[in-house]
Amino acid sequence: MEMNEYLMARMRSLPEKFHIIVDDPEYVNACFWYVPKRLRSMRHNSEREHLLGEVTPIIKQKMMEKGTLMIGYQPQGDIPNFFRNIISNPAVKKADVDFLVSEIDRIGEDL
Ligand SMILES: NCCCC(=O)O
């Protein structure tokens, strides 16, 4: 399975934790927010998007400090900061994607 597709499948299996912004399996970028515990029961609206957009750079900073992952983020129009993950290295394995998912979850769940 192509690794971006695998990442999308992993995130789709955890909808309370990963909010996919562009749900197209053929898309090469995985665009998503990570949803910390405190925001999981909140209805999805512009206020929640704003809060998710605040969480995104904090997760990025913690990833960089620990040196485990480097995933870009950006806003797009009215959409606040979200992760835009691109897997371009053919050496990336499912275990690497599993690590990405678990590491974001570990860093972000209590933010
Ligand atoms: N100033 C936005 C930086 C985005 C990123 O670190 O991916």
Side-chain angles (χ1 to χ4, degrees):
M1 179 187 277
E2 191 269 321
M3 287 303 108
N4 192 60
E5 191 182 328
Y6 179 66
L7 173 59
M8 296 296 283
R10 287 295 320 276
M11 292 196 296
R12 277 191 210 103
S13 76
L14 299 166
E16 76 283 8
K17 297 181 178 182
F18 291 90
H19 183 101
I20 295 169
I21 295 171
V22 181
D23 195 8
D24 179 348
E26 294 181 11
Y27 212 61
V28 293
N29 303 321
C31 298
F32 64 92
W33 283 297
Y34 176 78
V35 184
K37 275 190 275 195
R38 70 185 164 93
L39 299 179
R40 289 180 192 160
S41 60
M42 184 176 179
R43 195 163 64 89
H44 193 79
N45 55 25
S46 59
E47 173 60 14
R48 187 177 190 245
E49 291 191 352
H50 172 77
L51 295 169
L52 293 171
E54 289 181 341
V55 166
T56 301
I58 300 171
I59 294 174
K60 167 87 184 239
Q61 183 184 347
K62 289 182 181 291
M63 285 175 186
M64 298 300 287
E65 285 168 1
K66 192 151 185 271
T68 49
L69 293 169
M70 190 164 77
I71 305 174
Y73 68 85
Q74 63 179 73
Q76 178 80 46
D78 292 339
I79 306 174
N81 281 323
F82 58 89
F83 284 115
R84 181 169 164 266
N85 191 69
I86 302 168
I87 301 174
S88 56
N89 184 344
V92 172
K93 302 283 189 291
K94 284 185 177 178
D96 302 312
V97 174
D98 290 341
F99 176 78
L100 181 154
V101 169
S102 63
E103 182 69 354
I104 292 176
D105 189 28
R106 187 190 67 74
I107 291 171
E109 66 177 351
D110 292 322
L111 292 178

